[in-house]
């Protein structure tokens, strides 16, 4: 309690009123960070403008998710694995070949282009990554729908973002179809029962991702300000809401992960 005058408590001092009395301390940087950050060092920073604001990014790091995929193409032919789950495994060469076939189908059969919203409704599986690469290569935005939601929750998420197409695994498709058997959007279904595919509208994921000899993965030109993915809020105070993450933000987050991994390696070496 503060001093009382005329029966009223004295005003509480604010930090702003006291800040001149608080001695400022020097910002002491981690010496290992000093070895990595700075002009000419491994993780040099530079200024760039995003949405009219000047921000710092890692110099030379990919500025879009598509730039990251372009760098990953260099792993083709090395025998390295792009993704592994149980008995299913794709090398970089096969994974990118499947993504190239799917991306071509997205463009030519479904009219997917820069800024188009494409919903992904599936469990954590290799096809998730192939779909993501294909969607981004076409310049589109991947709408990442919670695969553990009820039918109406998954359908609402796809509708909320005006998705023009849904890529789903058979289990999630069966759940959604129970509530809406004839959705407005076309579907690409993983491990589909062919009888469930609507002629001229739906397609088998496996058919669209069959590698095509000589087909290269082509990337639409996107900027760091373009949308890359839509993630959804938890929905604790209402229905989940979509949040659009840009290419620049996602790419910078991945670059920061690389920086933190290098920093941890240095700590173990010390």
């Amino acid at each position: 309690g503060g001093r009382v005058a005329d029966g009223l408590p004295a005003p509480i001092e604010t930090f702003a009123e006291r800040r001149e009395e608080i001695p400022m301390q020097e910002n002491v940087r981690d010496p290992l960070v000093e070895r990595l950050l700075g002009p000419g060092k491994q993780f040099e920073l530079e200024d760039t403008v995003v949405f009219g604001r000047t921000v710092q990014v890692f110099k030379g790091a990919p500025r879009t998710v598509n730039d990251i995929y372009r760098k990953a193409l260099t792993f083709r032919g090395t025998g390295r694995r792009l993704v592994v789950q149980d008995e299913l495994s794709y090398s970089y060469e096969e994974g990118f070949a499947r993504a190239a076939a799917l991306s071509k189908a997205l463009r030519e059969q479904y009219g997917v282009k820069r800024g188009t919203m494409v919903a992904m409704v599936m469990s954590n599986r290799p096809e998730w990554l192939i779909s993501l690469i294909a969607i981004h290569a076409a310049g589109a935005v991947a709408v990442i729908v919670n695969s553990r939601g009820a039918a109406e929750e998954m359908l609402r998420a796809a509708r909320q973002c005006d998705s023009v197409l849904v890529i789903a695994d058979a289990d999630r498709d069966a759940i959604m179809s129970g509530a809406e058997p004839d959705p407005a959007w076309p579907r690409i279904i993983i491990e589909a029962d062919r009888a469930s595919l609507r002629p001229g509208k739906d397609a088998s994921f496996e058919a669209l991702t069959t590698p095509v000899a000589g087909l290269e993965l082509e990337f639409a030109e996107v900027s760091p300000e373009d949308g890359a993915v839509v993630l959804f809020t938890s929905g604790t105070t209402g229905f989940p809401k979509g949040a659009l993450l840009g290419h620049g933000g996602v790419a910078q987050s991945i670059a920061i992960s690389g920086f933190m991994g290098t920093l941890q390696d240095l700590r173990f070496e010390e």
Side-chain angles (χ1 to χ4, degrees):
R3 177 178 54 85
V4 177
D6 299 327
L8 297 175
I12 298 174
E13 288 184 303
T14 66
F15 176 77
E17 292 170 333
R18 294 191 56 218
R19 61 186 175 187
E20 293 183 359
E21 303 173 17
I22 301 175
M24 298 300 292
Q25 295 183 352
E26 182 181 356
N27 183 16
V28 180
R29 179 175 280 179
D30 186 328
L32 294 182
V33 172
E34 291 281 8
R35 288 166 55 179
L36 297 176
L37 290 179
K41 296 180 181 179
Q42 184 176 354
F43 290 91
E44 182 175 353
L45 295 172
E46 64 179 356
D47 290 341
T48 189
V49 177
V50 180
F51 291 115
R53 296 182 60 186
T54 300
V55 297
Q56 285 192 314
V57 298
F58 291 116
K59 185 175 182 179
R63 293 293 297 122
T64 70
V65 180
N66 283 359
D67 289 338
I68 294 173
Y69 298 143
R70 288 188 181 97
K71 290 188 69 173
L73 286 173
T74 61
F75 293 125
R76 291 181 300 179
T78 64
R80 295 180 65 171
R81 302 286 94 185
L82 172 66
V83 61
V84 177
Q85 185 185 50
D86 300 327
E87 301 303 317
L88 181 59
S89 171
Y90 291 144
S91 65
Y92 276 86
E93 188 168 16
E94 183 178 4
F96 279 119
R98 290 184 178 278
L102 179 58
S103 189
K104 183 174 185 291
L106 295 180
R107 289 180 172 105
E108 297 180 0
Q109 297 183 34
Y110 298 99
V112 172
K113 57 186 178 181
R114 184 176 179 179
T116 299
M117 297 283 181
V118 179
M120 294 172 49
V121 193
M122 65 187 79
S123 61
N124 186 15
R125 54 193 300 159
E127 293 89 346
W128 192 99
L129 181 57
I130 301 303
S131 298
L132 187 72
I133 296 171
I135 291 168
H136 285 154
V141 180
V143 178
I144 312 299
V145 177
N146 177 13
S147 63
R148 298 180 179 180
E152 187 52 42
E153 292 172 324
M154 293 187 283
L155 291 166
R156 185 186 297 111
R159 290 194 200 101
Q160 183 186 125
C161 298
D162 296 326
S163 302
V164 303
L165 172 68
V166 169
I167 305 176
D169 61 34
D171 290 342
R172 255 47 60 170
D173 178 62
I175 295 171
M176 291 187 292
S177 295
E180 190 167 334
D182 187 25
W185 49 68
R187 305 169 301 168
I188 298 175
I189 308 301
I190 301 165
E191 298 177 346
D193 175 2
R194 291 192 174 275
S196 69
L197 301 177
R198 296 167 296 177
K201 197 166 189 178
D202 301 331
S204 158
F205 183 90
E206 290 73 20
L208 297 186
T209 57
T210 300
V212 178
L215 180 64
E216 286 291 325
L217 182 59
E218 299 180 0
F219 295 98
E221 287 302 321
V222 294
S223 78
E225 297 179 351
D226 284 333
V229 297
V230 172
L231 301 180
F232 289 85
T233 61
S234 63
T236 53
T237 58
F239 294 127
K241 299 176 179 63
L244 179 64
L245 281 65
H247 272 268
V250 175
Q252 179 69 355
S253 295
I254 294 171
I256 291 172
S257 296
F259 166 76
M260 294 303 297
T262 303
L263 181 61
Q264 287 299 103
D265 288 344
L266 281 178
R267 293 200 192 285
F268 283 119
E269 291 171 4
E270 290 295 311

